[in-house]
């Protein structure tokens, strides 16, 4: 049985003051979340604040990106060990915004996955097609290539230590959500691709959906057999909305 995970991706939003308000809202409402594991992925400069406010609570936290390298002359980069220093459990790798705006290739993302895992962090590997790719009918080809990059570098067992998030690029921050059927089809495809190499890894792998998930559409997405939670952008900036999604996993 896979425990659902609902993870917030705050992206480059917030301030010390707004994050304090958001976290106190989450802390006071999280008791109503009976089933899902809850996590927030914060901008790196706020991780110390997040750690001090969330330590001892039921909410885990993580980073939004990390370096492929362990340490050294990489100005501006953040090493896995630094995320560890601030108590992170998770780190997002290969978010479509990193792929699009920072030119991250599948190979780079796979190296980030490896670096996270080597440090004991749980990588959340994002995969997903653009609207153009969906219209060309190559969604499966795209997500397979993104997934396979990790399997080729590290072997299928590496997925036992991570989480996959299917995030159709056309649904991120656009208000357009994949229908539960569209999402389920891709989730089932991803799981079957892993199962072809290891049934056990596939059975345990949590595959999250991300893309304009909100309290109003979460329950029907989360009801699908292969949707094991959500990676939440915009709606994670409101404690009420985020907790609404987390509690949707209760039913
Ligand atoms: C995301 O960026 O991971 C995401 C899913 O964003 P949103 O929920 O805003 O579409």
């Amino acid at each position: 049985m896979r425990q659902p995970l609902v993870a917030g991706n705050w992206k480059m939003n917030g301030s010390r003051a707004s994050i304090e308000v958001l976290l106190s809202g989450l802390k006071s409402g999280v008791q109503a979340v009976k089933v899902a594991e809850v996590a927030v992925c914060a901008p790196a400069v706020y991780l110390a604040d997040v750690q001090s406010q969330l330590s001892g609570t039921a909410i885990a936290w993580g980073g939004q990106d990390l370096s492929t390298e362990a340490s050294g002359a990489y100005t501006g980069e953040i090493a896995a060990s630094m995320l560890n220093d601030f108590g992170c459990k998770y780190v997002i790798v290969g978010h479509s915004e990193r792929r699009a705006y920072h030119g991250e290739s599948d190979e780079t993302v796979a190296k980030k996955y490896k670096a996270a895992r080597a440090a004991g962090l749980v990588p959340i590997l994002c995969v997903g097609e653009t609207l153009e790719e969906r219209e060309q009918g190559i969604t499966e080809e795209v997500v397979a290539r993104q997934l396979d990059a990790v399997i080729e570098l590290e072997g299928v067992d590496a997925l036992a230590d991570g989480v996959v998030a299917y995030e159709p690029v056309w649904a991120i921050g656009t208000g357009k959500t994949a229908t539960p059927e569209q999402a389920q089809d891709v989730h089932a495809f991803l799981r079957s691709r892993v199962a072809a190499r290891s049934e056990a890894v596939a059975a345990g792998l949590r595959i999250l959906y991300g893309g304009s998930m909100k309290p109003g559409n979460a329950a029907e997405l989360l009801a699908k057999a292969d949707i094991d939670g959500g990676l939440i952008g915009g709606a994670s900036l409101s404690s009420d909305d985020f907790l609404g999604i987390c509690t949707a996993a209760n039913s």
Side-chain angles (χ1 to χ4, degrees):
M1 189 62 191
R2 298 181 292 269
Q3 184 189 18
L5 167 65
V6 181
N9 172 15
W10 293 349
K11 312 195 188 195
M12 195 175 71
N13 291 298
S15 61
R16 291 188 88 173
S18 71
I19 283 170
E20 188 174 345
V21 174
L22 177 55
L23 289 176
S24 63
L26 292 180
K27 282 192 287 184
S28 52
V30 77
Q31 298 91 317
V33 181
K34 305 281 182 238
V35 176
E37 181 186 357
V38 180
V40 293
C41 294
V45 292
Y46 297 134
L47 284 171
D49 288 357
V50 170
Q51 180 179 34
S52 78
Q53 288 184 69
L54 292 186
S55 290
T57 73
I59 306 170
W61 60 94
Q64 299 175 3
D65 182 39
L66 82 169
S67 175
T68 55
E69 307 305 316
S71 67
Y74 301 99
T75 303
E77 292 289 280
I78 293 173
S81 60
M82 298 171 182
L83 297 175
N84 271 332
D85 253 355
F86 290 92
C88 290
K89 176 173 182 185
Y90 292 100
V91 61
I92 298 170
V93 298
H95 190 280
S96 61
E97 288 151 14
R98 302 285 321 169
R99 293 179 191 261
Y101 307 144
H102 300 272
E104 290 189 7
S105 65
D106 295 335
E107 290 67 34
T108 301
V109 173
K111 284 184 191 162
K112 290 186 174 198
Y113 190 102
K114 181 176 181 179
R117 201 172 153 245
L121 295 164
V122 179
I124 301 175
L125 170 70
C126 298
V127 301
E129 82 288 3
T130 63
L131 183 57
E132 199 182 6
E133 289 163 340
R134 174 159 283 263
E135 285 171 352
Q136 285 169 12
I138 57 169
T139 295
E140 291 188 352
E141 194 182 307
V142 170
V143 297
R145 194 196 66 223
Q146 293 168 333
L147 179 74
D148 288 358
V150 168
I151 298 174
E152 277 155 27
L153 185 68
E154 287 234 89
V156 70
D157 288 344
L159 291 173
D161 302 329
V163 173
V164 171
Y166 168 56
E167 299 208 305
V169 178
W170 49 271
I172 295 179
T174 59
K176 286 185 201 148
T177 316
T179 65
E181 293 70 30
Q182 282 174 321
Q184 166 61 25
D185 284 351
V186 180
H187 283 233
F189 169 76
L190 288 164
R191 197 177 307 285
S192 70
R193 195 154 183 100
V194 177
R197 293 166 172 95
S198 167
E199 299 247 351
V201 173
L205 180 64
R206 292 189 289 183
I207 307 178
L208 315 184
Y209 169 78
S212 299
M213 199 190 259
K214 299 181 181 62
N217 60 25
E220 54 175 358
L221 285 158
L222 295 171
K224 291 291 180 190
D226 289 293
I227 302 184
D228 307 311
L231 182 57
I232 318 299
S236 70
L237 299 172
S238 147
S239 54
D240 284 351
D241 287 351
F242 188 60
L243 289 166
I245 295 171
C246 297
T247 48
N250 284 346
S251 48

